[in-house]
Each structure stands twice: as C-alpha cells, then as structure tokens.
Amino acid sequence: MTTPAIEVLTLQSGRQRLSVLPTLGASVAAWDLQWRGQWTPLFRPWAGGSDLYTTACFPLVPWSNRITEGGFMHKGLHYPVLQNRTGENYPIHGDGWLQAWQAEAYTDSSVVLTLSSEQYDGDPYTYAATQTLTLRDDGLEIDLQVTNRGADELPFGLGLHPYFTRNAATRLQSRADGVWLCGADPIPTGHTQHFPATFDYNQFAPVDFPADGPLIDNCFTGWDGVSRIDYPDRGLRIEMRMEDCNGYSLMYRPPGLDYFCLEPITHPIDAFHMPGRDGLVNLVPGASMRLLTHFKVSEL
C-alpha cells in the first residue's frame, strides 16, 4: 500500500523561504535564508516521513510536554488523558500535533492554519486552534491561538517545538533564574537556582556536547522571553522572542547530535500536578489564549 504524499506549502518573501505541512500537525518543514549565495537552514530541516519529531517545528496545543497520573483533576472531576506516542511513558505535547490542520489563507508571506478538535482520541478537550506563520522583513513570526469550544472550563497551555541546528561553534544565551530538575522520566523532581554543570546559559555558552555529555530535557524558570543563538561559522544570529512571556522555556539538548530544541511554553512540565498549576490558564467555554513568538535573524 502506497503512503499518501504529504502536502507541502512553500512561502517565499525577500530572502526567506518557509515550507509548512498543514496535514502533518501544522508543522514546519523548513525555514531557510538566502545567505552568501545559497539557501541556509535556520531551523533543522524536515527529514521526511510522518514523524513530527523529524520536522523543523510544530505547535503544542492544548497543553505542552508531559502529563502524569493518566490525566488530571479539575473542579472535583478526573479527566483522563491517554498516552499518545510510542516509547513515551506519558501523554505528551497535547493532541494538535497528531491531527491534520487546514490551510485557510495562503499568500507569498503568510499562511493561516486552523484545526477544530473534538475530544481527539478520548482527550477531554474540544477546541479551535489557529496558527498563523508570517515571514516578516527580519524573520519568522508564529502566532498560535486556542479557544475552548467544550462545555466545561478546563486548564489550557501552549508551546512551540522548534529544532535548531548546532555544531562546535554554536553559542546560546537564554537567561533564567532556575531549572526544574528531573528523573529519567523526565518528570520534575525539584526546583533549583543552582544550575547543574553545562545547564547555565545566562551568558553565551556552547550548545554542542559529545555523546557522553549530559542530556538536558528540562524546564527553565524566570526566562525573560528572549534567547539568542549565534552561528559564528555562518555569521548569523537567531533571536527567539516570546511576547508576554510568563517565565518558562524548555530545552532539549541530546548529547552527540547535531540539533537542539528551545521551546517557548506557557507552563512547566506536568504543571497539572503542581501546587498552583503554574502557567496553566483556566479557559471557560468560548475563552481563548495566545502564544506569539518571533524568530528574528540578523548578521553577526
């Protein structure tokens, strides 16, 4: 049986080119810059196939990262959430990334993707989501919004999952005042303001680590909403800026590989089971929330 081809929409404005995959979780296939006579990837390019973890970026809706205990309690009721990815111990990244979105509007510089989700795979959420991707003069803007279309108030959250390339020259600055430590799950076990070795990016530091280096798969707190990635070998900087940031980012730095993830998110890992449910937003039916992120590219 032949696997259907995955639709690719390509935008090109000025020196930038953006390819998106509406039916593959509204993910980005590539974001490139025409630089020094050739197309240079700004996100890690899609490897092909249907696994969202091989794309360049995808939206996290109606919550981000992992939920333990098979779901969550809200106003005295238990809402089950099922595991949704092989190899994961817990449901992860919501369910928007697992569904096909629609391209509602499409120009040379912008595309609007929409999703209407009704309790996907038994999840408690019924919602409408919109992701607008726009090529600005100085980079890429991603505007992610969600509206509760269900009958009950529920806690919502949002995030983006961009993949950045890295090598020995790559440097990152991403200010934070602390980090949630975790076990092998990786579910948070405690918060600290004393960063483990190689976790501190308050000043520019290398992102590249060998195969025997430490994994980072952790939520950082006190993030000021601005992260800078420098590529001295290419003469480029990417600045990721989250508007109305409430202090959370997530870094995934796998040892020995040529990429890392730096995720703008609205709440910590497993916030559903934290006192105060930091960062989650209780949306009554008809209410909405938004995550607006800019990826600015400039010459070093």
Side-chain angles (χ1 to χ4, degrees):
M1 183 175 179
T2 303
T3 303
I6 298 172
E7 178 189 20
V8 181
L9 296 180
T10 299
L11 289 62
Q12 187 168 336
S13 180
R15 295 187 300 151
Q16 296 178 76
R17 183 175 64 190
L18 181 74
S19 297
V20 298
L21 309 165
T23 61
L24 191 61
S27 59
V28 173
W31 175 39
D32 302 318
L33 177 71
Q34 203 166 38
W35 180 245
R36 295 178 177 173
Q38 62 184 0
W39 286 106
T40 298
L42 300 174
F43 287 158
R44 180 203 66 177
W46 177 43
S50 59
D51 185 358
L52 270 287
Y53 280 33
T54 69
T55 64
C57 181
F58 59 91
L60 313 179
V61 59
W63 45 270
S64 78
N65 216 271
R66 297 168 175 88
I67 298 179
T68 63
E69 300 182 21
F72 60 89
M73 295 292 297
H74 188 67
K75 291 192 170 182
L77 296 176
H78 181 262
Y79 292 89
V81 183
L82 303 178
Q83 290 174 244
N84 58 8
R85 181 173 172 83
T86 301
E88 285 284 352
N89 294 323
Y90 309 103
I92 188 168
H93 293 330
D95 57 36
W97 66 293
L98 300 170
Q99 302 182 63
W101 296 47
Q102 302 294 318
E104 295 291 341
Y106 177 36
T107 70
D108 289 343
S109 62
S110 183
V111 62
V112 179
L113 307 176
T114 61
L115 173 66
S116 180
S117 181
E118 184 172 353
Q119 297 184 336
Y120 177 82
D121 197 27
D123 281 355
Y125 290 93
T126 296
Y127 64 89
T130 301
Q131 182 180 226
T132 304
L133 301 103
T134 305
L135 291 175
R136 303 293 186 190
D137 289 343
D138 60 355
L140 171 64
E141 177 185 282
I142 301 181
D143 187 351
L144 180 62
Q145 301 186 43
V146 65
T147 301
N148 183 3
R149 296 298 187 199
D152 301 325
E153 174 193 286
L154 286 176
F156 280 72
L158 294 172
L160 293 177
H161 202 300
Y163 291 82
F164 298 97
T165 63
R166 70 176 185 185
N167 59 28
T170 310
R171 298 292 185 269
L172 167 68
Q173 180 189 52
S174 188
R175 296 188 181 97
D177 63 16
V179 63
W180 280 98
L181 303 177
C182 62
D185 297 10
I187 300 300
T189 57
H191 184 268
T192 183
Q193 292 184 314
H194 301 286
F195 293 98
T198 78
F199 277 51
D200 188 349
Y201 285 98
N202 281 285
Q203 304 297 326
F204 276 101
V207 194
D208 197 47
F209 278 85
D212 59 353
L215 167 72
I216 296 180
D217 194 358
N218 299 73
C219 175
F220 288 77
T221 60
W223 181 44
D224 65 3
V226 181
S227 298
R228 299 176 178 90
I229 307 164
D230 281 1
Y231 297 97
D233 53 325
R234 291 191 282 173
L236 290 174
R237 167 177 287 179
I238 298 175
E239 179 181 281
M240 182 177 78
R241 181 179 296 270
M242 174 180 167
E243 300 296 332
D244 300 321
C245 178
N246 59 355
Y248 302 108
S249 66
L250 190 138
M251 187 174 186
Y252 176 63
R253 189 191 67 187
L257 299 180
D258 62 356
Y259 68 87
F260 71 102
C261 301
L262 192 61
E263 304 167 31
I265 53 175
T266 62
H267 62 87
I269 301 168
D270 203 30
F272 293 83
H273 297 109
M274 290 182 173
R277 295 189 170 183
D278 292 351
L280 289 170
V281 178
N282 293 329
L283 295 183
V284 298
S288 303
M289 67 177 295
R290 182 188 192 193
L291 171 65
L292 179 61
T293 310
H294 306 274
F295 299 90
K296 180 181 177 180
V297 59
S298 60
E299 183 175 0
L300 274 181

